[in-house]
């Protein structure tokens, strides 16, 4: 079965084709990836310091058809080879979701194919199944993106239980806002991570919010405020030496990354302990973070659990994770794919409400 995936929930247009046929022993296979096209709008939004929803929608319209052509060319397939269409139905920006959903539904109708709406986070949390080591169910997923920070228990395809989530900013949002305070371009996650490598450990004290809260929830807005207060304190010293300023920024980046990583790692371990799970999956854009990966690998070795990652190129938003999640659902009972042309988008959508019965 060849599934076309369409992702347009935020600022990446992703189109991909996934083939379930190479699965021989019942396990998903990386070889199923046939072709994909991805366009990031980051450069377009950078001048505004964040995503401008109307610009995002318009750009998805421009990009989606050429990206489909690119995916087909890459895979050597024709439209008539496609068996089903999966598209991101939510959560995300309403206008952006409408573009992908309308495109997917129209195409499916034109080709007389079944189509299905996929939850964006399901795409993220199943993408580690395409990684080098495949996690076994049940596993814990730490989902850390620009819009979400959640710990989920995944008992199977379509079997998700929310264990904890952020009460305010998402981890990626905290990275992006802190990057802005340090004068780095949007989105600043990767740039802060790089800057932190030049920083010195323990030079600046930042809080590790909710580290000892006893539950599995997170809060990152206070950390961002603490970074702001440190920058204000430093500015008062009127230091003009560019090297000293650069070192201060690097030290602050290091403390910030250290604080956020400490909280994410500690709560992930707590979730593993609480549920008795032995496998942890890291998903979402912040999952590309080197310091977080290193810290999780160290803990996994010490405390005897396994940690799994999606292939690096599938960490941030892409069409492949949607094609793949769609394919996994289509192989499950009660998946809900339909030939109906009717659709709605779900800008706010809890993953658990989309569980398979
Ligand atoms: O999953 P994603 O592509 O989009 C959403 O669904 O939000 O995640 C984007 C987020 C951004 O906040 C970005 O700054 C962050 O992921 N990010 C990183 C890194 N690469 C991307 N954060 C920390 N370290 C990175 N290396
Ligand atoms: Zn995402």
């Amino acid at each position: 079965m060849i599934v076309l995936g369409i992702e347009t929930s935020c600022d990446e247009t992703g189109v991909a084709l996934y083939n379930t046929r190479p699965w021989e022993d019942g396990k998903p296979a990386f070889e199923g990836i046939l072709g994909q096209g991805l366009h990031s709008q980051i450069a377009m939004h950078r001048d505004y310091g964040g995503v401008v929803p109307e610009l995002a929608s318009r750009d998805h319209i421009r990009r989606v058809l050429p990206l489909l052509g690119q995916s087909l060319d890459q895979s050597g397939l024709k439209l008539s080879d496609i068996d089903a269409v999966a598209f991101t139905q939510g959560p995300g920006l309403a206008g952006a979701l409408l573009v992908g959903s309308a495109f997917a539904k129209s195409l499916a109708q034109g080709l007389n194919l079944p189509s299905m709406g996929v939850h964006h986070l399901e795409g993220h949390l199943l993408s580690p199944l395409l990684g080098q080591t495949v996690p076994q169910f049940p596993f814990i997923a730490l989902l850390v993106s620009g819009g979400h920070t959640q710990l989920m228990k995944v008992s199977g395809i379509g079997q998700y239980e929310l264990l904890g989530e952020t009460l305010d900013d998402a981890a990626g949002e905290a990275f992006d806002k802190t990057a802005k305070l340090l004068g780095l371009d949007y989105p600043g996650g990767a740039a802060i991570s790089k800057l932190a490598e030049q920083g010195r450990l323990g030079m600046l004290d930042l809080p590790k919010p909710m580290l000892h809260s006893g539950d599995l929830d997170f809060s990152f807005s206070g950390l961002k405020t603490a970074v702001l207060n440190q920058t204000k304190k430093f500015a008062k010293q009127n230091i003009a030496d560019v090297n000293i300023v650069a070192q201060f920024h690097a030290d602050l980046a290091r403390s910030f990354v250290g604080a956020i990583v400490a909280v994410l790692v500690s709560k992930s371990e707590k979730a593993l302990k609480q549920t008795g799970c032995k496998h942890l999956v890291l998903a979402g854009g912040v999952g590309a973070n080197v310091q977080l990966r290193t810290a999780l690998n160290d803990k996994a070795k010490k405390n005897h659990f396994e940690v799994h990652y999606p292939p690096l190129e599938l960490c941030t938003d892409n069409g492949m994770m949607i094609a793949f999640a769609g394919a996994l659902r289509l192989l499950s009972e009660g998946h809900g794919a339909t030939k109906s042309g009717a659709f709605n988008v779900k800008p706010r959508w809890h993953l658990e409400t989309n569980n398979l019965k």
Side-chain angles (χ1 to χ4, degrees):
M1 183 174 55
I2 291 172
V3 181
L4 170 69
I6 312 258
E7 155 64 32
T8 64
S9 68
C10 189
D11 58 350
E12 262 96 24
T13 320
V15 178
L17 290 155
Y18 188 80
N19 184 1
T20 58
R21 265 167 230 144
W23 300 4
E24 276 165 13
D25 48 7
K27 279 199 201 117
F30 189 80
E31 291 68 39
I33 297 179
L34 298 179
Q36 59 176 325
L38 184 66
H39 175 78
S40 167
Q41 303 176 352
I42 283 175
M44 186 180 78
H45 297 295
R46 190 164 274 150
D47 289 347
Y48 306 93
V51 177
V52 183
E54 180 61 23
L55 293 183
S57 311
R58 292 181 193 197
D59 201 57
H60 287 309
I61 294 172
R62 275 192 291 272
R63 304 287 175 182
V64 69
L65 195 53
L67 288 172
L68 172 61
Q70 189 180 318
S71 308
L72 287 168
D73 287 350
Q74 220 179 70
S75 59
L77 296 173
K78 303 181 292 297
L79 279 176
S80 56
D81 294 319
I82 299 170
D83 297 302
V85 182
F87 59 94
T88 306
Q89 192 176 6
L93 302 169
L97 290 167
L98 274 170
V99 175
S101 306
F103 179 79
K105 277 287 179 184
S106 313
L107 189 70
Q109 285 264 292
L111 297 171
N112 192 27
L113 294 176
S115 60
M116 69 184 315
V118 170
H119 194 291
H120 181 81
L121 296 183
E122 184 170 29
H124 274 304
L125 68 81
L126 294 181
S127 58
L129 295 175
L130 292 171
Q132 282 184 335
T133 61
V134 178
Q136 282 162 22
F137 297 117
F139 60 76
I140 298 297
L142 172 63
L143 265 173
V144 271
S145 72
H148 294 86
T149 302
Q150 296 186 335
L151 277 164
M152 312 272 323
K153 181 177 176 191
V154 181
S155 301
I157 307 301
Q159 307 296 326
Y160 311 112
E161 183 192 344
L162 182 67
L163 303 174
E165 64 183 332
T166 184
L167 305 178
D168 41 54
D169 291 353
E173 203 178 346
F175 266 97
D176 296 341
K177 287 177 176 171
T178 300
K180 208 170 177 178
L181 287 173
L182 297 182
L184 300 168
D185 277 342
Y186 171 86
I192 290 205
S193 169
K194 218 166 154 210
L195 184 60
E197 283 169 15
Q198 285 134 44
R200 295 164 300 177
L201 194 64
M203 294 302 287
L204 295 159
D205 201 25
L206 291 178
K208 298 183 179 73
M210 294 185 71
L211 186 65
H212 303 296
S213 64
D215 55 24
L216 296 172
D217 288 333
F218 304 89
S219 164
F220 294 115
S221 69
L223 182 55
K224 173 197 66 198
T225 308
V227 170
L228 177 66
N229 290 340
Q230 290 281 3
T231 54
K232 279 184 180 163
K233 213 164 105 187
F234 182 77
K236 276 194 190 141
Q237 297 175 50
N238 284 322
I239 294 171
D241 186 325
V242 287
N243 292 325
I244 296 177
V245 175
Q247 189 60 57
F248 166 74
H249 283 167
D251 291 344
L252 195 50
R254 173 106 190 223
S255 292
F256 169 79
V257 174
I260 219 162
V261 165
V263 177
L264 291 174
V265 171
S266 160
K267 299 262 170 164
S268 300
E269 281 203 287
K270 196 173 165 61
L272 288 166
K273 213 177 266 173
Q274 202 169 294
T275 55
C277 291
K278 292 278 173 224
H279 294 255
L280 177 74
V281 149
L282 180 62
V286 182
N289 185 271
V290 182
Q291 289 91 347
L292 179 57
R293 285 181 174 224
T294 308
L296 282 175
N297 288 341
D298 287 352
K299 283 284 179 192
K301 234 183 249 163
K302 231 180 265 167
N303 296 337
H304 310 291
F305 63 88
E306 283 186 38
V307 54
H308 308 265
Y309 307 97
L312 206 55
E313 69 272 23
L314 298 187
C315 275
T316 44
D317 292 351
N318 62 85
M320 185 51 66
M321 67 183 194
I322 302 304
F324 182 61
L328 289 174
R329 278 208 164 232
L330 280 159
L331 296 174
S332 312
E333 249 174 74
H335 51 67
T338 165
K339 285 194 175 178
S340 160
F343 71 95
N344 61 349
V345 294
K346 301 180 178 177
R348 288 178 176 275
W349 190 12
H350 290 291
L351 181 55
E352 283 170 303
T353 63
N354 196 35
N355 276 353
L356 294 168
K357 298 286 170 271

